[in-house]
Amino acid sequence: MFNNIVANKLKYFFNFKDVYRKYSPISAVFEKVNVGEVAEVKGWVKNLRVQKELVFADVSDGSCAKKLQIVIPKNLKPDSLTYGSSVHITGKLTKSPRGQLELVADNVNVLGSCVVLDGYPFNPRTTHPPDYTRQYLHLRSRTNYISAILRVRSSLTKHISDYFAANNYLNIHTPILTSNDCEGAGEVFKVQPENEETIKAMMQEGRDKDTVYFGTKTFLTVSGQLHLEAICRSMGNVYTLGPTFRAENSRSRLHLSEFYMLEAEVAFCHTLEQLQAVIEGLLQYVFIQTWNSNEADLILIDKGNKPPSWLEQKFVTLTYDEAKIVLQKKGMTVIDDINKEQELMLVEYCKAPVFVTRWPKDMKSFYMKECVDDNTKVDALDLLTPITGEVVGGSLREDNYERLKSKLPSERLNWYLDLRKFGNIPTGGFGLGLERLLQVLCGVSNIKDTLPFPRWPHNCDM
Amino acid sequence: MFNNIVANKLKYFFNFKDVYRKYSPISAVFEKVNVGEVAEVKGWVKNLRVQKELVFADVSDGSCAKKLQIVIPKNLKPDSLTYGSSVHITGKLTKSPRGQLELVADNVNVLGSCVVLDGYPFNPRTTHPPDYTRQYLHLRSRTNYISAILRVRSSLTKHISDYFAANNYLNIHTPILTSNDCEGAGEVFKVQPENEETIKAMMQEGRDKDTVYFGTKTFLTVSGQLHLEAICRSMGNVYTLGPTFRAENSRSRLHLSEFYMLEAEVAFCHTLEQLQAVIEGLLQYVFIQTWNSNEADLILIDKGNKPPSWLEQKFVTLTYDEAKIVLQKKGMTVIDDINKEQELMLVEYCKAPVFVTRWPKDMKSFYMKECVDDNTKVDALDLLTPITGEVVGGSLREDNYERLKSKLPSERLNWYLDLRKFGNIPTGGFGLGLERLLQVLCGVSNIKDTLPFPRWPHNCDM
């Protein structure tokens, strides 16, 4: 019986789109509609050229990088048809003398006018610099540059979830609110109720505004890793993709106060090589798929974009000590951490993304596993790429109960220690900054242009 | 050239899984491995029966609802093989006398022991009540009940993104941090940096701790709708699925302080019927797909579960006034809003999910569009289902610039008004509580069991 329901309903579902949407996305017009057929589109006028008897309008609806050229007999042109207006157009598809698909309109309806002189910040045939459009976050997805990046971001997100689904990873929604603050080392946001009435009603002895609601001081997460590890130790491979926060006072082209992080935890992971294979496979898969699905967008963002040559080769691996030697040869001195300039130098030197492995223990986090053959080092990795330098950080996790206990930074993490006590398994995992990956994929130098509504110091206006 | 890269690399990618994972997920053993073949699995012992010459262990690895029965000759049983321990087993697949697939072990390796008497909160062959397991959030995904729900949640998330991708919706990551607080009407969390050094370094005249970092008071989002509307007015259909927050002092079985909300905004949406078709299509699609992908989990969660009868019929629509009449007939008086008991009564009466439409204007939000034929009502809808009552809320959006301006609750929302000024289009949208949908889908009465790490008043312990 259930199979019947499925068959009937899926048929219903796929016919169904036509019930509520009589018009076609412009992407579908380019893909599926033939010359001579009628078409109905809705979108925004991106350019308008008025000639003697005809008006040419380039219309975009956000569904793809391409604009559809509309040919409008002058007597059909409404006065309010201007750059920036929204339109509903019916007509018939033809080929232009140059062989380009175009729609000859038989009806043009302006849905919403756009008076540029009334404060609209954009102009036709103009490339507005990112610093300028960033002042108009609510309107900037109307520019070619930002809309193309947002389409790439949407596709990339889909390809990431497809990669993990195909590899039997569960998608786990780790929490944003947490009482752990250890990894952030103070650079965290704290959270409390805004409403004084709520605070008054919930107040108890020994509490203050910071603890009244949850009973503990509560922060915005800096990583879902520890929570993922709990689920990994009962359900195997897991990942999460969601917002993460840093209260740093940084306005650099690589930092945001709120950003998306992809984190995965690999069950039964004994070596760093296993973890590297997952990361390398992921990056190569999503780059290839996104070039397949969004080539026109990637070229619209930067016409010099092309699939990187390293899609055809393995990533390079250098130990931290080897990386130091390479940098010394280049005249650079490493003082503890490898800085941004040095990261980019290593990538240039290797002509491929570079895993830096086997880091000094005292430079890394308490949960990282010591190397079997050298207890001054940990089995951690950074993955360095062009444009951003570090885009992934990961490690094997300390799985020895006593050793982890001796390094635990806070009693609040006893639950994390508990995970090693009962049916423990070896795991490793990584975190990848989604916005930085988008910078690398699209060739975008400022991270603030890789997401719709960036937040950074002094900027949270809407 | 690019196509060559794609072909080579995808081949590489799909071979690749075997490079880093030599063992099989138990789900794959049940699906793909035949009697007589060797198999290698890793997981946790859920049950152990010791007989004269053989030991039987039920092993689960989280990949599916089913456990694989392992048959272990007594001489191969390590002492540390107990309930709760993690194991690595190789052997050959056979059929038991009852026709059940089982693995006859030739090697059993215990990876992590589990001494129940050393504080492990669970016992074999015991169903632990949800109120009890909720005290051990870090371990409770080891119970059948919670692990099955988390698998359903992961699949449901995938089906939702597939539905929207198939219908040309862009996935937009709306921000968590926002300076808008209007919709939350005070029940919001506010955010500030924890670090006193950061606060000191960033302090300026006229600022306080609430405004020092962003320059404005900043809150955790209660809805991504207004931001989605901005993108919808340049790129068409959009959706977002992510965390949302309420600082309410509520400990009910239907409320969380942090929960996932699915929100979609439909471009060129003129009628509530169009919006209802999207919502109904979504719910029917994800229910059918999840029953297809996770039937065993749904039955494990509640053995009375079955696909609801309303998958074969259209949802019911009642106007608010009609709903009041129905409830009056049942002896219930509606004072303004329809309460939870009344919601559930309407669903029972209609024997299907119920859209309640055409709500009194003064009960709903400023951005909702007035009904064309009655300016005391708005084109808003609630969707009511069994178990939870309201699971979706939505509306057409006010698209008249002057009317919206007169209702705007704050000057901080002038950007939102601006969206109607330049190339405006009619849109409608909705928000769906993911956890409530999971309650309906799984038959789970307490919302705190539908996500891995629930947060509610006095509960944010890890």
Side-chain angles (χ1 to χ4, degrees):
Chain A
M1 188 207 73
F2 181 58
N3 277 344
N4 270 345
I5 305 183
V6 172
N8 282 333
K9 281 294 159 183
L10 288 189
K11 200 176 65 188
Y12 171 66
F13 164 68
F14 285 112
N15 287 334
F16 181 76
K17 288 181 262 182
D18 300 329
V19 177
Y20 71 85
R21 185 156 75 178
K22 294 211 179 67
Y23 67 99
S24 303
I26 287 175
S27 59
V29 171
F30 279 113
E31 278 168 28
K32 293 177 195 157
V33 186
N34 300 312
V35 166
E37 291 181 355
V38 297
E40 184 167 354
V41 300
K42 300 182 178 187
W44 291 266
V45 176
K46 296 294 180 179
N47 197 13
L48 202 68
R49 294 181 308 287
V50 181
Q51 296 192 351
K52 214 171 185 181
E53 292 175 7
L54 293 174
V55 176
F56 295 90
D58 294 335
V59 170
S60 163
D61 66 359
S63 64
C64 62
K66 279 202 266 187
K67 293 163 195 68
L68 183 62
Q69 175 156 295
I70 316 285
V71 183
I72 306 164
K74 221 167 191 175
N75 64 320
L76 290 184
K77 180 193 173 294
D79 287 343
S80 56
L81 183 76
T82 63
Y83 166 73
S85 59
S86 50
V87 288
H88 177 187
I89 291 164
T90 55
K92 196 179 271 188
L93 287 166
T94 63
K95 280 260 154 104
S96 75
R98 288 186 189 169
Q100 188 195 5
L101 193 71
E102 57 185 24
L103 183 65
V104 178
D106 54 36
N107 196 293
V108 176
N109 183 14
V110 172
L111 300 171
S113 62
C114 180
V115 180
V116 172
L117 292 177
D118 204 11
Y120 197 58
F122 307 132
N123 289 295
R125 286 181 297 276
T126 310
T127 302
H128 301 90
D131 286 347
Y132 174 79
T133 62
R134 230 174 277 137
Q135 298 169 47
Y136 305 95
L137 290 182
H138 63 304
L139 299 173
R140 74 171 181 162
S141 60
R142 302 176 183 215
T143 66
N144 292 337
Y145 185 70
I146 295 294
S147 61
I149 293 171
L150 293 183
R151 275 189 299 273
V152 172
R153 185 177 173 108
S154 178
S155 294
L156 175 62
T157 302
K158 184 82 171 72
H159 299 320
I160 288 171
S161 69
D162 287 346
Y163 175 86
F164 284 113
N167 284 287
N168 282 303
Y169 282 67
L170 285 171
N171 181 359
I172 296 295
H173 295 138
T174 50
I176 302 302
L177 300 175
T178 176
S179 46
N180 304 335
D181 70 337
C182 54
E183 233 214 318
E187 297 295 358
V188 293
F189 290 106
K190 71 176 179 189
V191 166
Q192 55 177 238
E194 158 72 355
N195 190 334
E196 292 294 334
E197 295 299 312
T198 306
I199 293 174
K200 220 167 111 183
M202 295 181 78
M203 191 54 83
Q204 298 173 10
E205 218 183 291
R207 295 275 162 81
D208 58 27
K209 284 188 180 184
D210 280 345
T211 58
V212 63
Y213 188 89
F214 285 115
T216 49
K217 216 167 179 178
T218 303
F219 308 98
L220 299 185
T221 186
V222 295
S223 162
Q225 176 202 321
L226 305 190
H227 295 92
L228 272 189
E229 282 196 47
I231 310 295
C232 184
R233 279 175 175 75
S234 54
M235 301 186 72
N237 294 342
V238 287
Y239 81 101
T240 191
L241 174 62
T244 315
F245 304 84
R246 294 281 188 288
E248 291 168 316
N249 185 13
S250 170
R251 274 153 252 216
S252 92
R253 66 171 188 87
L254 294 170
H255 289 87
L256 291 165
S257 307
E258 173 180 348
F259 56 97
Y260 261 60
M261 186 132 78
L262 169 69
E263 295 180 277
E265 193 71 18
V266 182
F268 309 107
C269 182
H270 295 268
T271 68
L272 219 45
E273 286 72 24
Q274 285 174 285
L275 195 58
Q276 286 173 250
V278 177
I279 297 167
E280 193 169 333
L282 168 70
L283 260 63
Q284 298 202 328
Y285 178 79
V286 299
F287 265 68
I288 288 167
Q289 294 292 6
T290 310
W291 268 98
N292 257 339
S293 57
N294 291 70
E295 185 169 4
D297 286 314
L298 290 163
I299 289 165
L300 195 157
I301 294 162
D302 177 353
K303 63 179 190 294
N305 269 340
K306 52 179 194 261
S309 58
W310 50 259
L311 287 180
E312 293 190 279
Q313 65 196 70
K314 265 192 82 64
F315 294 179
V316 174
T317 300
L318 296 175
T319 65
Y320 171 82
D321 289 338
E322 289 167 347
K324 264 174 89 162
I325 292 169
V326 169
L327 290 168
Q328 272 154 9
K329 277 191 199 157
K330 294 280 172 188
M332 289 172 150
T333 311
V334 176
I335 303 160
D336 292 341
D337 212 354
I338 297 173
N339 68 30
K340 191 58 59 192
E341 188 193 1
Q342 294 166 341
E343 287 177 356
L344 294 172
M345 170 62 81
L346 286 170
V347 176
E348 200 185 301
Y349 175 83
C350 295
K351 296 185 174 39
V354 183
F355 284 112
V356 180
T357 62
R358 294 177 68 93
W359 286 75
K361 181 164 67 178
D362 51 12
M363 289 170 58
K364 291 287 184 181
S365 298
F366 74 94
Y367 52 72
M368 295 184 176
K369 189 179 162 88
E370 290 174 12
C371 295
V372 176
D373 55 352
D374 181 353
N375 71 5
T376 70
K377 297 282 197 328
V378 286
D379 270 325
L381 63 81
D382 281 2
L383 178 66
L384 315 178
T385 59
I387 297 182
T388 63
E390 185 194 347
V391 71
V392 176
S395 77
L396 300 185
R397 315 309 188 188
E398 183 56 73
D399 57 356
N400 179 290
Y401 180 86
E402 293 301 334
R403 208 177 297 138
L404 184 62
K405 190 174 178 180
S406 74
K407 296 195 260 183
L408 208 66
S410 156
E411 271 197 9
R412 295 203 60 81
L413 287 175
N414 279 343
W415 67 266
Y416 179 69
L417 187 60
D418 241 19
L419 301 177
R420 273 66 177 173
K421 197 167 169 183
F422 306 112
N424 188 37
I425 61 168
T427 73
F430 65 91
L432 176 157
L434 186 72
E435 285 78 11
R436 289 197 180 180
L437 188 66
L438 275 160
Q439 288 185 269
V440 182
L441 177 60
C442 298
V444 170
S445 66
N446 196 317
I447 198 167
K448 301 177 190 77
D449 299 325
T450 60
L451 72 174
F453 303 100
R455 273 73 177 92
W456 73 99
H458 296 190
N459 284 276
C460 187
D461 272 345
M462 57 183 280
Chain B
M1 189 207 74
F2 181 57
N3 276 343
N4 271 345
I5 305 183
V6 171
N8 282 333
K9 279 294 158 182
L10 287 189
K11 200 175 64 187
Y12 172 67
F13 165 68
F14 285 113
N15 288 333
F16 181 76
K17 287 181 262 183
D18 300 329
V19 177
Y20 71 85
R21 184 155 76 179
K22 294 211 179 67
Y23 67 98
S24 303
I26 288 175
S27 59
V29 171
F30 279 113
E31 277 167 28
K32 293 176 196 157
V33 186
N34 300 312
V35 167
E37 290 181 357
V38 296
E40 185 166 353
V41 300
K42 299 182 178 187
W44 291 265
V45 176
K46 295 297 180 176
N47 198 13
L48 202 69
R49 293 181 307 287
V50 182
Q51 296 191 351
K52 214 169 185 182
E53 291 174 7
L54 294 172
V55 175
F56 295 90
D58 295 334
V59 170
S60 163
D61 66 358
S63 64
C64 62
K66 277 202 267 186
K67 293 164 194 69
L68 183 62
Q69 174 155 297
I70 316 286
V71 183
I72 305 164
K74 222 168 192 174
N75 63 320
L76 291 183
K77 179 194 174 291
D79 287 343
S80 56
L81 183 77
T82 63
Y83 166 73
S85 59
S86 50
V87 288
H88 177 186
I89 291 164
T90 55
K92 196 179 272 188
L93 287 167
T94 62
K95 280 260 155 100
S96 75
R98 287 185 190 170
Q100 187 194 6
L101 193 71
E102 57 186 24
L103 183 66
V104 179
D106 54 37
N107 196 293
V108 176
N109 184 14
V110 172
L111 300 171
S113 62
C114 181
V115 180
V116 172
L117 292 177
D118 204 10
Y120 196 58
F122 308 131
N123 288 296
R125 286 181 297 275
T126 310
T127 303
H128 301 91
D131 286 347
Y132 175 79
T133 63
R134 229 173 278 137
Q135 298 169 46
Y136 305 95
L137 290 183
H138 63 303
L139 298 173
R140 73 171 181 162
S141 60
R142 302 176 183 214
T143 64
N144 292 337
Y145 185 70
I146 294 294
S147 61
I149 293 171
L150 293 182
R151 276 190 298 273
V152 172
R153 185 178 172 108
S154 179
S155 293
L156 175 63
T157 302
K158 184 82 172 68
H159 299 320
I160 288 170
S161 69
D162 288 346
Y163 174 85
F164 283 113
N167 284 288
N168 282 302
Y169 281 67
L170 285 171
N171 182 359
I172 296 296
H173 296 138
T174 50
I176 302 301
L177 300 174
T178 176
S179 46
N180 305 335
D181 70 335
C182 55
E183 233 215 318
E187 297 295 359
V188 293
F189 289 105
K190 70 176 180 189
V191 165
Q192 55 177 239
E194 157 73 355
N195 191 334
E196 291 295 333
E197 295 299 311
T198 306
I199 292 173
K200 221 167 112 183
M202 295 182 78
M203 190 54 83
Q204 298 173 9
E205 219 184 291
R207 294 276 162 82
D208 58 27
K209 285 189 180 182
D210 281 344
T211 58
V212 63
Y213 188 88
F214 285 114
T216 48
K217 214 167 181 178
T218 303
F219 309 98
L220 299 185
T221 187
V222 296
S223 162
Q225 176 201 323
L226 306 190
H227 295 93
L228 272 189
E229 282 196 46
I231 309 295
C232 185
R233 279 175 175 74
S234 55
M235 302 187 72
N237 294 342
V238 287
Y239 81 100
T240 190
L241 174 62
T244 316
F245 304 84
R246 294 282 189 289
E248 290 169 316
N249 185 13
S250 170
R251 274 154 252 215
S252 92
R253 67 171 187 88
L254 293 170
H255 289 87
L256 291 165
S257 307
E258 172 179 348
F259 56 97
Y260 262 60
M261 187 133 78
L262 169 69
E263 295 182 275
E265 193 71 19
V266 183
F268 308 108
C269 182
H270 295 268
T271 67
L272 218 45
E273 286 72 25
Q274 285 174 285
L275 195 58
Q276 287 172 249
V278 177
I279 298 167
E280 193 169 333
L282 169 70
L283 259 63
Q284 298 203 326
Y285 178 80
V286 300
F287 265 68
I288 289 167
Q289 294 293 8
T290 311
W291 268 98
N292 257 339
S293 57
N294 291 69
E295 184 169 3
D297 286 315
L298 289 164
I299 289 167
L300 196 156
I301 294 162
D302 177 355
K303 63 180 191 295
N305 269 340
K306 52 179 194 261
S309 58
W310 50 260
L311 287 181
E312 294 190 278
Q313 65 197 70
K314 265 191 84 61
F315 294 179
V316 174
T317 300
L318 296 175
T319 65
Y320 171 82
D321 289 339
E322 288 167 347
K324 264 174 87 163
I325 292 169
V326 168
L327 290 168
Q328 272 156 7
K329 275 190 200 158
K330 294 280 172 187
M332 289 170 150
T333 311
V334 176
I335 303 159
D336 292 341
D337 212 352
I338 296 173
N339 67 30
K340 190 57 60 191
E341 187 193 1
Q342 293 166 343
E343 287 177 355
L344 294 172
M345 170 61 82
L346 286 170
V347 175
E348 199 186 301
Y349 176 82
C350 295
K351 296 184 174 40
V354 183
F355 285 113
V356 179
T357 61
R358 295 176 67 94
W359 287 75
K361 182 164 67 176
D362 50 13
M363 289 169 58
K364 291 288 183 180
S365 297
F366 75 95
Y367 51 71
M368 295 185 176
K369 190 179 161 88
E370 290 174 12
C371 295
V372 177
D373 55 352
D374 180 354
N375 71 4
T376 70
K377 297 282 195 334
V378 286
D379 270 325
L381 63 82
D382 281 3
L383 177 66
L384 315 179
T385 58
I387 298 183
T388 63
E390 186 195 348
V391 71
V392 176
S395 76
L396 300 185
R397 315 308 189 188
E398 183 55 72
D399 57 356
N400 179 291
Y401 180 84
E402 292 301 333
R403 207 176 298 138
L404 184 63
K405 190 174 178 180
S406 73
K407 295 195 260 183
L408 208 67
S410 156
E411 271 195 12
R412 294 203 60 80
L413 287 176
N414 280 343
W415 68 266
Y416 180 68
L417 188 59
D418 242 17
L419 301 177
R420 272 65 178 173
K421 197 168 170 183
F422 305 112
N424 188 37
I425 61 168
T427 74
F430 65 90
L432 176 157
L434 186 71
E435 285 79 11
R436 288 197 181 180
L437 188 66
L438 275 160
Q439 287 185 269
V440 182
L441 177 60
C442 299
V444 170
S445 65
N446 196 317
I447 198 167
K448 301 177 190 77
D449 299 326
T450 61
L451 72 174
F453 303 100
R455 274 73 176 93
W456 73 100
H458 296 190
N459 284 276
C460 187
D461 272 345
M462 56 182 281

